[in-house]
Amino acid sequence: MENALQNVNAVVGVSGSFVCDGEGQVLASALPDVFDETMLSNVGRTVAQTIAGLELARRRKVGDLDLVYREGRLVVKNLRVGYLCILCVPTINVPLLNLTANVAARKLAAQIKAGRAAPVEKPALHEAKVPAVPTLNGSFFTKAERELTRLMGPMAVFVLQEQIAALGESREAFPQDKARQLVERLAAEIENEDQRARFQ
């Protein structure tokens, strides 16, 4: 599966890609290290639920999703047995991307059907160190992620992770004194002024 993803990543304008099963569980990933498995699983589940909802509402199969944002673009290929998610720049040449992505999608669908795909291995847990400064608890990020997803869609998870990394921090040990700065950076990603004000 990794070979197929690397072929997709070779297209100019692609930042990375991953594939998940019909439930949104990540099967393989070729993305920068800043995107962890938990975040990808959240995106995978959101994509799966979104497509399921669209198919239910429209009473027909949904093909590709093309979600365009100010900072990026998420192209989703419906494999019927899973989803190929491609993170790229907003101005990517979609027909050129499709030439490679459609071939990869067929290969990935066949591999998932054949049961050769294995879930991404979880890294070994290390003993947590006591942070030197007060940090935010998980509920802050859960709430922020939920609100951003409501306003921006599946891309919100990527935006949140990018802004955390831009501040030189990690989700697991994010200092409380940088919370306001993070919220302001996230709000700047919301184009609608009313929604931006409500988010803050």
Side-chain angles (χ1 to χ4, degrees), residues 97-149:
L97 171 63
N98 283 336
L99 286 174
T100 301
N102 288 341
V103 173
R106 285 193 293 273
K107 290 179 180 177
L108 292 168
Q111 289 178 357
I112 294 172
K113 286 178 184 176
R116 290 196 295 265
V120 174
E121 289 185 13
K122 295 182 179 179
L125 295 176
H126 300 288
E127 187 176 337
K129 295 180 181 178
V130 178
V133 295
T135 58
L136 296 174
N137 61 30
S139 63
F140 173 87
F141 292 108
T142 300
K143 183 178 179 183
E145 191 173 291
R146 184 173 58 245
E147 285 300 308
L148 276 177
T149 300

Side-chain angles (χ1 to χ4, degrees), residues 121-180:
E121 289 185 13
K122 295 182 179 179
L125 295 176
H126 300 288
E127 187 176 337
K129 295 180 181 178
V130 178
V133 295
T135 58
L136 296 174
N137 61 30
S139 63
F140 173 87
F141 292 108
T142 300
K143 183 178 179 183
E145 191 173 291
R146 184 173 58 245
E147 285 300 308
L148 276 177
T149 300
R150 186 175 62 80
L151 297 171
M152 303 174 68
M155 196 74 176
V157 183
F158 293 107
V159 171
L160 176 59
Q161 192 66 25
E162 283 179 344
Q163 293 304 332
I164 291 171
L167 291 171
E169 302 295 344
S170 70
R171 190 168 175 153
E172 294 74 23
F174 195 92
Q176 288 181 2
D177 60 2
K178 286 190 177 181
R180 170 49 51 190

Side-chain angles (χ1 to χ4, degrees), residues 13-178:
V14 172
S15 304
S17 56
F18 69 97
V19 63
C20 55
D21 64 15
E23 301 299 317
Q25 180 183 11
V26 178
L27 301 175
S29 169
L31 278 160
D33 292 339
V34 69
F35 302 110
D36 62 25
E37 183 189 351
T38 302
M39 181 177 55
L40 295 183
S41 294
N42 289 340
V43 174
R45 281 194 302 274
T46 303
V47 165
Q49 291 167 359
T50 300
I51 289 180
L54 288 171
E55 289 181 344
L56 184 64
R58 298 173 64 188
R59 296 184 180 176
R60 62 178 180 177
K61 295 293 183 184
V62 173
D64 298 350
L65 288 183
D66 188 2
L67 307 172
V68 183
Y69 302 90
R70 186 171 62 185
E71 298 294 327
R73 189 170 192 158
L74 182 64
V75 176
V76 180
K77 298 281 184 184
N78 188 348
L79 310 178
R80 306 297 176 218
V81 290
Y83 308 97
L84 169 60
C85 301
I86 307 166
L87 182 64
C88 41
V89 297
T91 55
I92 193 166
N93 184 329
V94 176
L96 179 62
L97 171 63
N98 283 336
L99 286 174
T100 301
N102 288 341
V103 173
R106 285 193 293 273
K107 290 179 180 177
L108 292 168
Q111 289 178 357
I112 294 172
K113 286 178 184 176
R116 290 196 295 265
V120 174
E121 289 185 13
K122 295 182 179 179
L125 295 176
H126 300 288
E127 187 176 337
K129 295 180 181 178
V130 178
V133 295
T135 58
L136 296 174
N137 61 30
S139 63
F140 173 87
F141 292 108
T142 300
K143 183 178 179 183
E145 191 173 291
R146 184 173 58 245
E147 285 300 308
L148 276 177
T149 300
R150 186 175 62 80
L151 297 171
M152 303 174 68
M155 196 74 176
V157 183
F158 293 107
V159 171
L160 176 59
Q161 192 66 25
E162 283 179 344
Q163 293 304 332
I164 291 171
L167 291 171
E169 302 295 344
S170 70
R171 190 168 175 153
E172 294 74 23
F174 195 92
Q176 288 181 2
D177 60 2
K178 286 190 177 181

Side-chain angles (χ1 to χ4, degrees), residues 164-198:
I164 291 171
L167 291 171
E169 302 295 344
S170 70
R171 190 168 175 153
E172 294 74 23
F174 195 92
Q176 288 181 2
D177 60 2
K178 286 190 177 181
R180 170 49 51 190
Q181 192 177 355
L182 176 61
V183 170
E184 289 172 354
R185 293 178 71 101
L186 293 172
E189 299 289 336
I190 302 170
E191 293 186 4
N192 183 286
E193 289 186 16
D194 292 336
Q195 291 178 336
R196 185 187 310 135
R198 283 198 297 272

